[in-house]
């Protein structure tokens, strides 16, 4: 799942004012159960060649029944 959010703000410097914007892309990356350990702020390069930062994740540890379908790593990319 990929979500793109565009944000912006009006910035003023002295007598000039300009509009700055950035593109924020959020990706939910499904990973297999044996996906290595990851930490917040780790960087991941996806097959599209772009780098993303780890901002969260969900680990499905299998619960009482032992089934482990894998997990989800939440990634973010910010471009000015």
């Amino acid at each position: 799942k990929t979500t793109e959010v565009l944000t912006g703000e009006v910035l003023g410097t002295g007598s000039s004012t300009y509009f700055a914007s950035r593109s924020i892309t959020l990706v939910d990356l499904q990973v297999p159960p044996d996906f290595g350990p990851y930490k917040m702020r780790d960087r991941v390069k996806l097959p599209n060649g772009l780098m993303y930062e780890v901002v969260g994740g969900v680990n499905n540890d299998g619960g009482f029944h032992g089934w482990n379908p894998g997990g989800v790593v939440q990634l973010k990319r910010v471009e000015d």
Side-chain angles (χ1 to χ4, degrees), residues 29-38 58-61 68-73:
L29 178 65
Q30 296 180 338
V31 296
D34 60 351
F35 186 74
Y38 59 88
V58 177
N59 182 13
N60 295 326
D61 61 4
N68 187 350
V72 176
V73 178

Side-chain angles (χ1 to χ4, degrees), residues 5-48:
V5 180
L6 300 176
T7 60
E9 59 183 304
V10 176
L11 304 174
T13 56
S15 61
S16 63
T17 301
Y18 59 96
F19 186 79
S21 65
R22 63 177 44 154
S23 171
I24 301 171
T25 305
L26 305 172
V27 176
D28 287 341
L29 178 65
Q30 296 180 338
V31 296
D34 60 351
F35 186 74
Y38 59 88
K39 300 180 295 246
M40 298 293 282
R41 304 198 66 164
D42 279 353
R43 295 188 181 228
V44 176
K45 186 174 185 178
L46 295 185
N48 64 7

